[in-house]
């Protein structure tokens, strides 16, 4: 079945440093979504990428979808303590009735 | 508008008892997921409903777990003969397709 792998599992950074998490699928995806889960909270939708090579930005966050639509990345510039949490990607296969498969997430901690 | 709601928010039960967890999705959302999340872990897919299609039950861990979705809206996850390893947060998410998901706050289940 479809697998979505995320690396790294954990990342500890000093406030102000950059952070990147990577998402890789074993199969070609129709689209990918990114979610953020704050400690003690539930996942919250951030963005969806659909097109090959697509790049989207939300303030200090940059999301990319690979040309082959099998990988994606989330980059945060100049991290802040408010960025703390777990970032999940979720991919949809071309033929799977819309069902998403989540990666295991990357947990980010930021030292002030 | 109202988001996804789940009840109860917390449930403490004794080993061997049955529990029912409820999810009220966003009105009009045809897709509904159930996940389980243990402390510090990722999202474990349980079941996926999409419109009138047969649900994808491939994530249910045992035959003690079942879920229904009545009238294409409210969903109930039932765990029979609960075990201590069932203790976790149970998250429900809904969406217009299976792709972008909006999560509820979860039900924290503790089995003593």
């Amino acid at each position: 079945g479809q697998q979505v792998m995320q690396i790294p599992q954990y990342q500890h950074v000093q406030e102000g440093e950059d952070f990147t998490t990577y998402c890789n699928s074993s199969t070609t995806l129709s689209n990918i979504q990114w979610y953020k889960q704050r400690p003690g909270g539930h996942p919250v939708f951030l963005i969806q990428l659909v097109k090959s090579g697509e790049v989207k930005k939300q303030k200090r966050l940059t999301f990319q979808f690979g040309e082959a639509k099998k990988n994606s990345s989330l980059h945060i510039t100049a991290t802040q303590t408010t960025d703390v949490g777990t970032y999940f990607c979720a991919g949809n296969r071309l033929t799977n009735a819309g069902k998403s498969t989540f990666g295991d997430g990357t947990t980010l901690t930021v030292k002030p | 508008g109202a988001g996804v709601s789940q009840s109860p928010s917390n449930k403490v039960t004794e080993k061997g008892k049955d529990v029912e967890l409820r999810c009220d999705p966003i009105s009009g959302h045809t897709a509904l997921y159930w996940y389980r999340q243990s402390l510090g872990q990722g999202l474990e897919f349980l079941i996926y409903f999409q419109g009138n299609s047969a649900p994808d039950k491939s994530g249910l861990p045992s035959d003690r777990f079942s879920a229904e979705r009545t009238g294409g809206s409210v969903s109930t996850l039932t765990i029979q003969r609960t075990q201590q390893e069932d203790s976790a947060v149970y998250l429900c998410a809904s969406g217009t397709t299976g792709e972008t998901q909006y999560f509820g706050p979860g039900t924290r289940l503790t089995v003593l």
Side-chain angles (χ1 to χ4, degrees), chain A residues 29-78:
Chain A
L29 300 171
S30 58
N31 56 66
I32 196 163
Q33 300 89 44
W34 285 92
Y35 297 81
K36 177 183 178 181
Q37 184 175 24
R38 294 179 185 272
H42 57 274
V44 174
F45 170 73
L46 294 177
I47 207 160
Q48 176 168 278
L49 304 172
V50 178
K51 300 176 183 177
S52 169
E54 188 170 15
V55 178
K56 287 188 176 180
K57 294 190 175 185
Q58 290 180 350
K59 298 182 180 179
R60 295 177 294 103
L61 277 61
T62 301
F63 305 84
Q64 294 190 359
F65 201 9
E67 294 290 340
K69 301 184 74 173
K70 295 180 79 171
N71 53 67
S72 181
S73 65
L74 159 58
H75 179 82
I76 302 178
T77 303

Side-chain angles (χ1 to χ4, degrees), chain A residues 9-10 30-31 33 35 37 40-45 48 88 90 92 96-105 107, chain B residues 31 33 35 37 40-43 45 48 50 53 56 58-59 89 91 97-106 108:
Chain A
Q9 186 176 1
Y10 299 98
S30 58
N31 56 66
Q33 300 89 44
Y35 297 81
Q37 184 175 24
H42 57 274
V44 174
F45 170 73
Q48 176 168 278
F88 293 97
N92 291 84
N96 204 14
K99 178 188 167 187
S100 296
T101 299
F102 273 81
D104 288 337
T107 298
Chain B
Y33 289 83
Y35 297 91
Q37 187 173 39
Q41 301 300 308
L43 300 168
F45 165 76
Y48 168 53
Q50 175 56 276
S53 302
D56 180 340
S58 60
V89 175
L91 290 161
T97 64
E99 301 170 355
T100 300
Q101 298 176 44
Y102 297 90
F103 283 80
R108 182 175 298 277

